[in-house]
């Protein structure tokens, strides 16, 4: 698969980032991505604070930085809580509902969500004047079209009844085209690339998660969920991001057909390079314009190098006399769309792993343990302590699946065993520890990272969103997560409790783990895994 890279051309890298890289030895590890000469504007980078949460301000040289109060952040813990929040937020929405997911399921719980949308749209329609509410839903084309009853058939009634208020966009990877698209059967075609972003926003409230809109994720499939309340700038950013991806996606019509927006290159019938360039440009416009807005907004606030400088609020002109509390929490959206040459999440994640110091602790969790070689090398080669949480075979989402998919849990066991053997070979068992999530009647889909600085019992940074830290997340799918950096002890405690709650349902992996009968991996699975591991 040919993949063009924006990093290779350097065409969209912020100049401040390149200037900053000269002052950070860890960035030199990423030098191969930055080799072509790029003119450097000699603007001073933000000062790098050596202590606490502010040491992560370098991330704002790549993406917009949103400073908020920690009181606006709530960490959820259960699928049921997530589902109830979705319904409450849909019913309360007045201006916008934006939902990006892999797919919408077809069960009763999902139908109830659709009814909530219908009810809210109806209220908006009956209000005086023209209806203000707009609903935008972004799903993956292949996953959302699977079967006769699917995401499309669930949403068509909304399109038919509220054609001026509802938009349903179905992203189709440009890498599934031609003979490949004709030959690969349904379900297997999803391995080529997906729309994998999970963002749910309602007016100015944003939910970041790894959970899809499906009954399992509302009942007994453990994931992670963070609500950012009253955060208009963050909501605007993700609205614009979903709009940008929606513009380069197929638009669902009332008769269940799809078509591209007028003048837009088709993802699998049109020229692939032209399509990817347009998509890159649209997404990077969103990132760069938001970054410029935030820089202007914060020009004389908490980043000022003047000691004791006053902190101005993130406010509109109508509230010019009022000051908001000083931000103690910063949100950085990290986007990964390798098919479009956008690799920001990969860059930031690798740098966080590189920078993790001795005696720092990194808790990393993924529903599908299939780390990229770069991530594995950094984990094995750096000094921090790692506690990696993954699914035991019984709570893997593919456990008990029919056909070839049923062998996927065994393939993950094989990959896990190989990594554990490498840890043992390097005598790193104390520093790098694997733990398996196990909970009767549940499956495990949580992904993310918590970073505890040396000497601290609480995390000051977490990553939460859709990426699984695997090959698919880095190379094939559209992904988004946020880095949440906080100085607030109460929010740090929330994040710590979230981490502890997940890890409490786990057992430590040892040599004896792989001697259990249920860990037997058939020879054919061992032979096939290296060939197919980049597809799941």
């Amino acid at each position: 698969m040919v993949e063009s890279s924006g990093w290779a051309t350097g065409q969209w890298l912020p100049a401040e980032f390149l200037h900053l890289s000269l002052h950070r030895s860890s960035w030199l590890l990423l030098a191969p991505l930055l080799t072509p000469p790029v003119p450097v504007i000699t603007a001073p980078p933000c000062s790098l604070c050596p202590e606490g949460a502010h040491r992560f301000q370098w991330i704002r040289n790549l993406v917009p930085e949103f400073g908020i109060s920690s009181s606006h952040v709530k960490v959820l813990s259960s699928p049921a809580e997530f589902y109830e929040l979705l319904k409450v937020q849909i019913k309360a929405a007045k201006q916008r509902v934006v939902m990006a997911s892999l797919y919408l399921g077809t069960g009763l719980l999902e139908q109830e969500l659709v009814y909530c949308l219908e009810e809210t749209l109806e209220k908006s329609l009956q209000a005086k004047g023209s209806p203000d509410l707009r609903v935008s839903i972004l799903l993956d084309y292949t996953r959302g079209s699977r079967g006769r009853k699917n995401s499309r058939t669930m949403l068509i009634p909304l399109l038919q009844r509220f054609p001026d208020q509802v938009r349903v966009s179905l992203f189709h990877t440009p890498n599934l085209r031609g003979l490949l698209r004709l030959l690969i059967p349904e379900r297997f075609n999803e391995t080529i690339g997906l729309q994998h972003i999970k963002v749910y926003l309602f007016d100015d409230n944003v939910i970041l998660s790894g959970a899809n809109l499906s009954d399992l994720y509302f009942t007994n499939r453990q994931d992670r969920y963070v609500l950012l309340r009253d955060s208009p700038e963050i909501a605007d950013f993700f609205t614009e991001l979903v709009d940008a991806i929606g513009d380069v996606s197929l638009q669902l019509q009332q008769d269940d057909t799809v078509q591209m927006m007028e003048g837009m290159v088709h993802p699998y019938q049109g020229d692939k390079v032209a399509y990817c360039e347009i998509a890159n440009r649209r997404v990077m416009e969103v990132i760069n314009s938001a970054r410029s807005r935030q820089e202007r907004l914060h020009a004389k606030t908490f980043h000022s190098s003047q000691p004791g400088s006053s902190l101005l609020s993130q406010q509109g002109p109508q509230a010019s006399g009022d000051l908001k509390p000083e931000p103690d929490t910063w949100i950085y959206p990290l986007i990964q769309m390798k098919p479009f040459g956008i690799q920001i999440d990969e860059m930031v994640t690798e740098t966080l792993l590189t920078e993790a110091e001795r005696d720092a602790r990194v808790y990393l969790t993924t529903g599908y343990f299939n780390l990229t070689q770069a991530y594995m090398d950094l984990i094995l080669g750096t000094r921090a302590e790692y506690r990696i949480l993954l699914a035991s075979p019984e709570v893997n989402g593919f456990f008990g699946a029919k056909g070839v998919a049923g062998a996927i849990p065994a393939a993950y066991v094989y990959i896990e065993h190989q990594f554990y053997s490498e840890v043992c070979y390097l005598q790193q068992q104390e520093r790098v520890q694997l733990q398996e999530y196990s909970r009767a009647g549940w499956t495990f889909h949580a992904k993310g990272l918590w970073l505890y600085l040396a000497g601290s019992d609480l995390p000051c940074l977490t990553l939460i969103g859709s990426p699984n830290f695997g090959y698919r997340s880095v190379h094939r799918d559209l992904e988004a997560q946020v880095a949440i950096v906080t100085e607030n002890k109460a929010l740090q405690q929330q994040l710590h409790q979230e981490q502890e709650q997940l890890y409490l349902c786990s057992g430590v992996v040892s040599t004896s783990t792989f001697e259990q009968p249920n860990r037997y991996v058939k020879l054919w699975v061992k032979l096939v895994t290296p060939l197919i591991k980049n597809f799941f």
Side-chain angles (χ1 to χ4, degrees):
M1 178 170 56
V2 179
E3 293 163 329
S4 61
S5 172
W7 292 104
T9 62
Q11 60 192 6
W12 56 265
L13 281 171
E16 299 94 323
F17 165 70
L18 295 172
H19 182 79
L20 176 65
S21 67
L22 300 176
H23 299 273
R24 299 290 276 179
S25 58
S26 62
W27 289 106
L28 297 179
L29 296 174
L30 307 174
L33 297 173
L34 305 171
T35 40
V38 177
V40 177
I41 300 171
T42 56
C46 74
S47 58
L48 290 158
C49 307
E51 299 299 330
H54 282 286
R55 70 177 60 199
F56 302 106
Q57 285 180 8
W58 55 266
I59 303 176
R60 81 185 189 106
N61 291 278
L62 288 171
V63 297
E65 173 187 68
F66 301 98
I68 63 172
S69 168
S70 56
S71 62
H72 291 193
V73 184
K74 182 181 180 183
V75 180
L76 311 180
S77 60
S78 73
E81 195 178 2
F82 169 60
Y83 180 61
E84 291 305 316
L85 181 62
L86 286 176
K87 291 193 293 182
V88 167
Q89 290 292 320
I90 289 172
K91 289 177 181 178
K94 297 291 190 292
Q95 278 82 41
R96 60 184 169 188
V97 172
V98 179
M99 299 197 291
S101 184
L102 174 60
Y103 68 106
L104 171 70
T106 58
L108 293 177
L109 295 180
E110 298 93 315
Q111 188 62 61
E112 192 173 343
L113 279 185
V114 176
Y115 288 150
C116 288
L117 285 168
E118 186 176 16
E119 180 184 322
T120 305
L121 284 161
E122 183 64 43
K123 278 195 298 184
S124 172
L125 204 58
Q126 291 172 356
K128 292 181 180 178
S130 60
D132 294 326
L133 182 66
R134 294 292 181 269
V135 174
S136 176
I137 299 173
L138 171 67
L139 305 173
D140 181 72
Y141 176 89
T142 52
R143 183 64 182 86
S145 303
R146 186 200 292 180
R148 296 186 68 178
K149 187 178 181 183
N150 53 41
S151 305
R152 293 161 64 163
T153 59
M154 292 286 286
L155 293 169
I156 282 172
L158 291 181
L159 280 173
Q160 292 173 338
R161 189 167 177 194
F162 309 98
D164 297 327
Q165 292 174 265
V166 177
R167 179 193 196 192
V168 178
S169 304
L170 301 169
F171 173 79
H172 191 295
T173 178
N175 293 320
L176 181 64
R177 55 176 47 234
L179 201 56
L180 189 67
R181 188 174 187 275
L182 294 173
L183 294 178
I184 299 184
E186 188 177 87
R187 196 168 187 185
F188 289 95
N189 57 11
E190 297 166 27
T191 63
I192 305 303
L194 295 167
Q195 193 307 110
H196 200 245
I197 295 169
K198 292 85 187 277
V199 175
Y200 310 107
L201 73 87
F202 314 90
D203 292 342
D204 292 337
N205 300 326
V206 183
I207 303 172
L208 277 304
S209 181
N212 292 304
L213 295 173
S214 172
D215 54 3
L216 292 175
Y217 295 89
F218 305 149
T219 52
N220 62 344
R221 189 153 170 73
Q222 183 63 58
D223 215 298
R224 297 180 65 208
Y225 335 85
V226 168
L227 168 65
L228 306 176
R229 285 187 296 243
D230 301 321
S231 302
E233 291 90 0
I234 300 172
D236 287 347
F237 172 83
F238 280 107
T239 297
E240 291 170 16
L241 180 68
V242 171
D243 281 347
I245 302 167
D247 288 349
V248 298
S249 299
L250 295 155
Q251 306 300 304
L252 183 63
Q253 305 299 305
Q254 296 178 28
D255 60 356
D256 198 19
T257 60
V258 293
Q259 63 184 43
M260 291 299 290
M261 288 175 56
E262 190 175 348
M264 185 62 65
V265 177
H266 199 283
Y268 63 85
Q269 294 175 351
D271 180 81
K272 181 180 175 182
V273 173
Y275 173 80
C276 291
E277 285 177 352
I278 290 169
N280 174 291
R281 196 156 55 243
R282 285 287 289 111
V283 173
M284 289 312 304
E285 280 171 3
V286 172
I287 295 169
N288 290 331
S289 63
R291 185 168 163 267
S292 297
R293 280 198 308 268
Q294 292 307 111
E295 283 181 345
R296 289 195 299 272
L297 203 57
H298 295 303
K300 296 179 182 178
T301 62
F302 53 88
H303 283 300
S304 174
S305 58
Q306 299 300 318
S309 59
S310 64
L311 288 140
L312 304 179
S313 63
Q314 298 182 41
Q315 62 196 11
Q318 72 278 6
S320 56
D322 303 321
L323 289 178
K324 289 186 179 179
E326 175 182 347
D328 58 7
T329 299
W330 296 271
I331 310 296
Y332 302 94
L334 308 178
I335 311 303
Q336 184 75 12
M337 300 179 181
K338 185 72 175 288
F340 304 156
I342 299 172
Q343 299 166 250
I344 299 172
D345 180 63
E346 177 188 7
M347 173 74 84
V348 172
T349 302
E350 287 189 9
T351 304
L352 289 173
L353 298 180
T354 302
E355 293 272 306
E357 61 202 336
R358 189 182 301 279
D359 296 327
R361 285 174 294 139
V362 177
Y363 288 79
L364 187 151
T365 177
T366 173
Y368 304 110
F369 185 73
N370 188 12
L371 301 179
T372 66
Q373 191 62 49
Y375 292 162
M376 285 194 289
D377 289 345
L378 286 170
I379 290 168
L380 294 173
T382 49
R383 299 170 296 176
E385 292 182 15
Y386 283 86
R387 300 292 179 263
I388 303 173
L389 182 63
L390 49 121
S392 66
E394 296 76 19
V395 300
N396 186 294
F398 290 97
F399 186 74
K402 296 177 181 178
V404 177
I408 290 178
Y412 281 119
V413 168
Y414 182 57
I415 293 168
E416 176 190 352
H417 194 181
Q418 285 184 311
F419 181 75
Y420 180 75
S421 299
E422 184 72 11
V423 170
C424 294
Y425 175 76
L426 296 171
Q427 298 183 325
Q428 299 287 313
Q429 299 97 307
E430 293 299 315
R431 190 181 66 81
V432 180
Q433 196 172 93
L434 295 180
Q435 296 177 229
E436 288 185 352
Y437 186 94
S438 184
R439 188 175 178 186
W442 284 65
T443 55
F444 183 68
H445 196 251
K447 67 281 299 271
L449 179 151
W450 299 258
L451 177 58
Y452 294 67
L453 297 177
S456 177
D457 293 327
L458 297 173
C460 66
L461 176 146
T462 191
L463 300 182
I464 178 169
S466 63
N468 280 296
F469 305 104
Y471 186 94
R472 284 194 63 100
S473 292
V474 171
H475 293 276
R476 294 188 180 280
D477 298 340
L478 305 192
E479 305 279 11
Q481 63 180 338
V482 294
I484 302 176
V485 177
T486 185
E487 295 179 327
N488 180 269
K489 295 298 180 186
L491 179 52
Q492 289 179 354
Q493 189 65 46
Q494 273 196 75
L495 295 170
H496 176 67
Q497 289 172 350
E498 178 198 30
Q499 177 271 115
E500 279 198 322
Q501 186 176 342
L502 290 172
Y503 280 70
L504 276 173
C505 296
S506 70
V508 177
V509 171
S510 65
T511 303
S512 61
T513 302
F514 301 101
E515 295 171 353
Q516 298 170 21
N518 65 339
R519 299 309 170 97
Y520 173 73
V521 180
K522 295 176 180 178
L523 178 60
W524 74 267
V525 175
K526 292 181 180 180
L527 294 174
V528 169
T529 297
L531 303 175
I532 64 169
K533 64 182 292 186
N534 294 342
F535 292 90
F536 62 85

